[in-house]
Amino acid sequence: MNNKFQSSQKMLEIKSGEAVQPEENQLNHSCSEPLSQVMFNKKKWNIWTFIKKNAFVILTMTAMAVGIGLGFALRQVNMSPREIMYVTFPGELLMRILKMMVLPLVISSLITGGFFSLAKTYGRIGLRAFSYYMVTTVIATFTGIALAVSIKPGKSSRQTSEPSGGKSQTVQSVDSFLDLIRNMLPSNLVEACFKKVRSMMFLLQFLHLYHHNYLTFVSVVVYIYYYQYFTSNGINILGLLIFSAAFGLVLSSMESKGKPLRDFFTCLNEAIMQLVNIVIWYSPVGFLFLLAGQIVKMADTTNVAHAVTMYTVTVITGLIIHSFITLPLIYFIVTQKNPLRFFAGILQALTTAFGTSSSSATLPVTLHCMEQNHNMDKIVTRFMLPMGATVNMDGSSLYEAVAALFIAQIHDIPFNFGQMIVLSLIVTAASTGAAGIPQAGMVTMVIVLSSAGLPTENIPLLLMVDWILDRLRTATNVLGDCVGVGVVQHLSKHELQGSSSARNNLEGKEMCSL
């Protein structure tokens, strides 16, 4: 019976195996048929995901191409100034909306900025990080200013118009510096929202006649110079920045008492960010018509194209100097280590930054490179890298400085030394105070140009090449973040050793209790 039962069981296993095996073959055969269809659907999904992820970039590039084509087409028509104004009207609306966002955005972002509270929480590590961010941003800004002054991309392809001569006098550098201090301490905060102080030298010319003798007259020309202080239209961004930073410092020191007001400004900042996110999708339409209008207004498109090319070369040269000379030199001087080995360990983060054009999107890769490849302490990386992704904007500050002077050179607006100091402070404050804005380069450029008293209608000329410059300056920003982690960790070895020993003791106690 047992043998019969075993033989029957084997027969059942064989039959079941025979029954199952064809089903598996049939299943495999059925799955092999739509494999190409599955791969096609996967590729289709990847393309659709790429389009959704880069929709704004694609729309902006398309708008630029259409705007250039429309501008050259309209150049064939003899358009009146009124008709050109009609063409640029949608772009004018965009500029007005962006300028409207400047005031609440800068104030709320600076008051809610975590610099002072984080420096207080992390002690000396936070103070060193803050100092590093400020030093590198200022160096990058002055690098951009020096290159723009020496190369002169806005004047490289045309004859510069001679300034109106005569006896007129310009404001000296000392006077511009005094105007800077006056604007940093406004007498009226409400007036600072739409007015700023300027000093101007005026010339009075008198012709004095007197008798030399009974037959001849002698004429003497008398010149009298005098200064007058007056207000000009435009946001006094420096005064508002100083007040907002001081106000944020006081709020952070009030702890629980200042929490309701901090929550208010945090909510205001988030609401403005959401509003900017909505408005930003209108920008391709505005850029299309602004660019078309600019091309129609151009007297010689070849000269403008050459000037934009020189501007691009100037920005790229500045980014190369900051990335391959300034930052490695800072790293070597502080740590006495080979910066090339350090750069080799963060190459993946730099390529990701170039590909994504976003410091925040690169943050996970940056954390992996710094913690796994360079064995950086997590206390430093988890504090500095997220903060640096939104605050440390070396590449952006260099780009904004070059762009501001480029537009000034196009319009033959002179900049003396004092005005360049003012520009450097504006660029530094704008790049650090409003760096969390989506498409921050465009919005902060409006802030910088408006604060420096420069025209904003030439921004579409800059955006023609912004797709490549944005990626390069993002890689520079990420490189600055990584170098900052290495520098601060080297300077904070004693604090980190104490914190690591405390952590080990705490972990030992927890293991013993378990």
Side-chain angles (χ1 to χ4, degrees):
M1 290 294 293
N2 292 334
N3 292 332
K4 289 181 178 180
F5 178 74
Q6 291 176 357
S7 61
S8 61
Q9 188 175 9
K10 289 180 180 179
M11 292 294 294
L12 287 172
E13 289 177 356
I14 293 171
K15 289 180 180 179
S16 63
E18 291 173 353
V20 171
Q21 187 68 26
E23 288 179 0
E24 291 178 353
N25 292 334
Q26 187 176 0
L27 184 62
N28 290 334
H29 180 69
S30 63
C31 288
S32 63
E33 287 182 355
L35 184 60
S36 59
Q37 184 69 25
V38 171
M39 294 299 294
F40 175 76
N41 291 335
K42 188 175 180 181
K43 290 181 180 179
K44 186 177 179 181
W45 174 256
N46 290 335
I47 294 173
W48 178 245
T49 304
F50 174 80
I51 293 174
K52 287 177 65 178
K53 186 177 180 181
N54 300 278
F56 182 82
V57 178
I58 294 173
L59 286 175
T60 303
M61 297 299 296
T62 305
M64 292 296 166
V66 175
I68 293 173
L70 179 62
F72 279 104
L74 293 177
R75 282 179 66 89
Q76 308 304 319
V77 182
N78 189 14
M79 300 184 68
S80 65
R82 180 182 292 273
E83 292 171 338
I84 295 175
M85 183 268 291
Y86 292 154
V87 172
T88 58
F89 181 72
E92 180 188 349
L93 292 181
L94 175 65
M95 291 295 105
R96 294 177 70 89
I97 292 172
L98 291 177
K99 290 178 181 179
M100 179 180 65
M101 301 290 181
V102 167
L103 184 61
L105 187 62
V106 171
I107 292 177
S108 60
S109 61
L110 273 176
I111 291 177
T112 58
F115 261 150
F116 303 109
S117 59
L118 285 172
K120 183 179 178 181
T121 303
Y122 285 85
R124 294 181 178 178
I125 297 178
L127 212 58
R128 293 183 184 115
F130 175 79
S131 302
Y132 170 81
Y133 291 153
M134 289 296 101
V135 168
T136 54
T137 303
V138 170
I139 291 175
T141 303
F142 276 103
T143 302
I145 291 175
L147 287 174
V149 170
S150 58
I151 297 177
K152 292 183 174 60
K155 295 183 179 181
S156 59
S157 60
R158 61 183 177 86
Q159 296 294 327
T160 58
S161 60
E162 293 294 330
S164 56
K167 302 291 186 177
S168 59
Q169 297 288 326
T170 58
V171 179
Q172 301 298 319
S173 300
V174 177
D175 302 321
S176 298
F177 185 72
L178 294 178
D179 286 344
L180 168 66
I181 298 177
R182 292 188 188 100
N183 286 312
M184 289 172 64
L185 301 172
S187 59
N188 189 332
L189 278 177
V190 177
E191 186 184 35
C193 297
F194 55 89
K195 295 276 188 185
K196 50 189 173 184
V197 179
R198 288 186 61 188
S199 61
M200 183 68 68
M201 177 185 287
F202 291 92
L203 170 64
L204 293 180
Q205 180 176 340
F206 297 96
L207 180 62
H208 181 66
L209 297 176
Y210 67 93
H211 291 282
H212 179 65
N213 51 42
Y214 291 103
L215 298 177
T216 60
F217 292 91
V218 176
S219 62
V220 176
V221 180
V222 179
Y223 297 102
I224 299 177
Y225 297 97
Y226 71 97
Y227 283 98
Q228 183 176 352
Y229 306 104
F230 60 95
T231 57
S232 60
N233 293 328
I235 300 176
N236 181 6
I237 197 73
L238 287 177
L240 296 175
L241 288 173
I242 295 296
F243 174 79
S244 301
F247 196 72
L249 176 62
V250 172
L251 278 182
S252 64
S253 64
M254 292 177 66
E255 298 179 353
S256 60
K257 291 182 180 179
K259 188 177 184 301
L261 202 53
R262 283 199 306 271
D263 292 341
F264 167 76
F265 282 106
T266 301
C267 183
L268 176 63
N269 190 31
E270 292 177 358
I272 295 297
M273 290 294 186
Q274 293 294 329
L275 199 56
V276 172
N277 272 322
I278 297 172
V279 170
I280 213 73
W281 288 99
Y282 173 69
S283 59
V285 179
F287 291 148
L288 189 155
F289 291 100
L290 274 177
L291 188 57
Q294 287 295 318
I295 292 176
V296 172
K297 292 178 185 177
M298 289 177 186
D300 189 351
T301 55
T302 305
N303 288 339
V304 175
H306 187 268
V308 172
T309 303
M310 291 303 300
Y311 156 75
T312 306
V313 171
T314 304
V315 174
I316 293 177
T317 303
L319 294 176
I320 290 174
I321 291 174
H322 191 74
S323 300
F324 295 101
I325 297 178
T326 304
L327 291 177
L329 194 61
I330 292 174
Y331 181 81
F332 176 75
I333 291 174
V334 175
T335 64
Q336 298 296 314
K337 295 179 181 178
N338 187 358
L340 296 180
R341 292 182 180 178
F342 181 83
F343 286 5
I346 59 173
L347 194 58
Q348 184 182 2
L350 297 179
T351 54
T352 305
F354 182 82
T356 61
S357 185
S358 171
S359 300
S360 300
T362 314
L363 186 57
V365 182
T366 311
L367 285 169
H368 173 78
C369 291
M370 296 303 293
E371 293 176 359
Q372 301 298 324
N373 298 346
H374 290 300
N375 296 320
M376 294 292 173
D377 197 298
K378 290 185 178 181
I379 293 179
V380 181
T381 57
R382 300 301 167 92
F383 162 58
M384 284 193 65
L385 290 179
M387 175 61 68
T390 56
V391 170
N392 187 32
M393 295 290 167
D394 297 348
S396 300
S397 60
L398 188 149
Y399 154 79
E400 289 161 7
V402 174
L405 289 177
F406 170 71
I407 290 179
Q409 291 167 3
I410 286 179
H411 292 274
D412 284 327
I413 300 175
F415 261 68
N416 56 33
F417 181 72
Q419 290 170 320
M420 289 178 187
I421 293 177
V422 175
L423 178 64
S424 65
L425 292 176
I426 292 173
V427 168
T428 302
S431 60
T432 57
I437 309 166
Q439 298 300 316
M442 178 184 63
V443 182
T444 53
M445 183 53 59
V446 174
I447 295 174
V448 170
L449 295 180
S450 301
S451 304
L454 296 173
T456 57
E457 64 266 15
N458 295 109
I459 289 181
L461 295 178
L462 308 180
L463 293 177
M464 292 172 61
V465 292
D466 192 64
W467 62 275
I468 183 64
L469 296 182
D470 188 24
R471 298 175 184 276
L472 292 173
R473 66 176 182 259
T474 302
T476 303
N477 294 338
V478 172
L479 178 61
D481 297 341
C482 296
V483 171
V485 170
V487 167
V488 171
Q489 170 151 332
H490 180 80
L491 296 175
S492 307
K493 288 187 291 186
H494 299 293
E495 290 87 348
L496 294 173
Q497 288 175 358
S499 61
S500 61
S501 61
R503 261 186 319 196
N504 293 333
N505 293 333
L506 182 61
E507 291 176 357
K509 290 180 181 179
E510 290 178 353
M511 291 298 294
C512 291
S513 61
L514 292 174

